[in-house]
Amino acid sequence: MHFTSDQHLDDGVRERAFSLGGIPGILWTPASASAPTPLILLGPPPLGLGKVYPRLVARARHAAADGFATATIELPGSGERPRWPAAEQARAELRRALKAGEPVSDEIIDSVILPLVDKAVPEWRAALDDLLALPEISGPVGYSGGVISIGVRLAVVEPRIVAAGLFAGSFVPRAMFEEARRVTIPLHVLLQWDDEGNDRRAALDLFDAFGSQEKSLHAHLGGHTGVPQYAGEAAAQFFTRHLK
Amino acid sequence: MHFTSDQHLDDGVRERAFSLGGIPGILWTPASASAPTPLILLGPPPLGLGKVYPRLVARARHAAADGFATATIELPGSGERPRWPAAEQARAELRRALKAGEPVSDEIIDSVILPLVDKAVPEWRAALDDLLALPEISGPVGYSGGVISIGVRLAVVEPRIVAAGLFAGSFVPRAMFEEARRVTIPLHVLLQWDDEGNDRRAALDLFDAFGSQEKSLHAHLGGHTGVPQYAGEAAAQFFTRHLK
């Protein structure tokens, strides 16, 4: 991992862009921190970091104010990263089905999500290796948001992640329900009750499947992008309880 | 309404027992308050105020620390209040069905809950008349907890209640789903995911039915009495957002 830019944002947040073997990423740290801080990995939606930067930096500022470092990396096939034809075709089919108001088949969901999870999770673990090697970051580590299936897989395979805030805002392959049963870390799950691009029933079933002894579901009225501001406060309190 | 006792609890909370035409009640106010305060009505479970006093006073202390007065009254047929045979029989049938692990019929649910709602709601409204006449209470008014169907009916018929924190912890008659659609005030709904004495599916359907533009569901792992302490914090923040 090498840093490609370094700047201080107005409110005492240090923002460094980095490249992890060609994968673009961003690290935010509280400039005022006198000791190494816990880390929250910010899972981005698969739209490209450029597009979602405003949302990410808002979460990073909030986390920095709470004393957390945050970091994110570009997902495979998003932003400037190379596409792969199968994923492009699967995404096109998903968009078509949603536009036509048709039920989204398990085949489409699997072909969109599973390769993304398989490619992304090792990259996030590699990023974690390098981020935890920085003197200003001590852990513990939380994972927040993004594609929920990536969060589920990370919660199962990455022991350094001790708590996860998940956003039930993307379709979930059947296979992930089995993995969900193996999740044991505390979970804070957000659900937008009327999420256009999501299956509420499946989201509730996934919450039910999680093996964690501490899990809470926070459902709010509204669509995919309508998460109320106070929901962010509750998620921040969850990470403060588990990472401090 | 006349007061029957008046004491100051150790942490600056004034507790007054009262009688409202023979109905026992308790009022808690922040002793330090320099101005009239908002009020949160604490709906009790139908077990008798004596039995649930420890839980109620804990909520009252928390609310007082946030600058709220709280009050509760004994439900019809609970505590020292006269029973009525139909309710006793219905409750007995409910207990029998639960004990036998049988599905609870709509008939049983209706016969337990509907008469209770019909009797209790006018009493809560009468209590509200007298409580808001006290110089130390200004409103606005919130309703919190207790039998959810009573909270739903109050939210529909009592315009002085501007926000409600409901606990989806008791069976809901079909008829209440219609009333739920007419609820428009902000709602904060608690659900214990594995509540023994409750139907999760029906609780989710009820949340879906509420007509409110702001509603959020907070579901936590555990049984009826397993509400985590941080859930109380979130509910307190809800009332602070809407009553301050």
Side-chain angles (χ1 to χ4, degrees), chain A residues 160-242:
Chain A
R160 293 172 292 183
I161 295 176
V162 301
L166 303 175
F167 180 35
S170 47
F171 291 98
V172 177
R174 290 252 155 274
M176 296 308 299
F177 285 78
E178 267 318 306
E179 297 193 37
R181 290 186 178 79
R182 286 154 48 202
V183 174
T184 58
I185 60 173
L187 298 178
H188 179 96
V189 182
L190 276 178
L191 169 66
Q192 285 300 97
W193 199 248
D194 304 307
D195 199 324
E196 315 79 10
N198 187 25
D199 176 337
R200 184 197 301 162
R201 180 81 239 137
L204 293 168
D205 291 343
L206 184 67
F207 177 75
D208 192 44
F210 286 122
S212 305
Q213 279 309 300
E214 182 188 327
K215 59 180 179 181
S216 62
L217 175 73
H218 299 249
H220 304 95
L221 189 65
H224 187 81
T225 59
V227 180
Q229 193 253 333
Y230 61 82
E233 298 296 330
Q237 288 159 7
F238 167 80
F239 283 115
T240 296
R241 280 204 309 280
H242 292 288

Side-chain angles (χ1 to χ4, degrees), chain B residues 39-44 59 141-152 154-155 161-169 183 185-191 210 212 214-218 231-232 234-243:
Chain B
L39 171 68
I40 301 173
L41 300 173
L42 300 183
R59 289 159 66 194
V141 181
Y143 175 87
S144 174
V147 176
I148 190 166
S149 295
I150 293 175
V152 171
L154 277 168
I161 295 177
V162 301
L166 303 176
F167 180 34
V183 174
I185 59 173
L187 298 178
H188 179 95
V189 182
L190 276 178
L191 170 66
F210 286 123
S212 305
E214 182 188 329
K215 59 180 179 182
S216 63
L217 175 74
H218 299 248
Q237 289 159 7
F238 167 80
F239 283 116
T240 296
R241 282 204 308 281
H242 291 288
L243 302 184

Side-chain angles (χ1 to χ4, degrees), chain A residues 66-148:
Chain A
D66 293 339
F68 297 118
T70 48
T72 190
I73 56 174
E74 190 71 85
L75 292 176
S78 291
E80 305 303 305
R81 298 193 60 188
R83 308 291 188 261
W84 63 97
E88 289 302 290
Q89 194 198 330
R91 285 195 199 188
E93 286 171 18
L94 176 62
R95 280 190 296 269
R96 191 198 55 72
L98 288 175
K99 205 161 173 210
E102 297 170 7
V104 180
S105 71
D106 287 349
E107 292 65 30
I108 294 180
I109 295 172
D110 289 354
S111 56
V112 169
I113 302 293
L114 292 180
L116 182 63
V117 173
D118 292 340
K119 288 174 195 283
V121 165
E123 296 176 350
W124 284 84
R125 301 188 72 184
L128 200 47
D129 294 337
D130 288 11
L131 290 162
L132 288 174
L134 297 171
E136 59 267 50
I137 298 176
S138 61
V141 180
Y143 175 87
S144 174
V147 176
I148 190 167

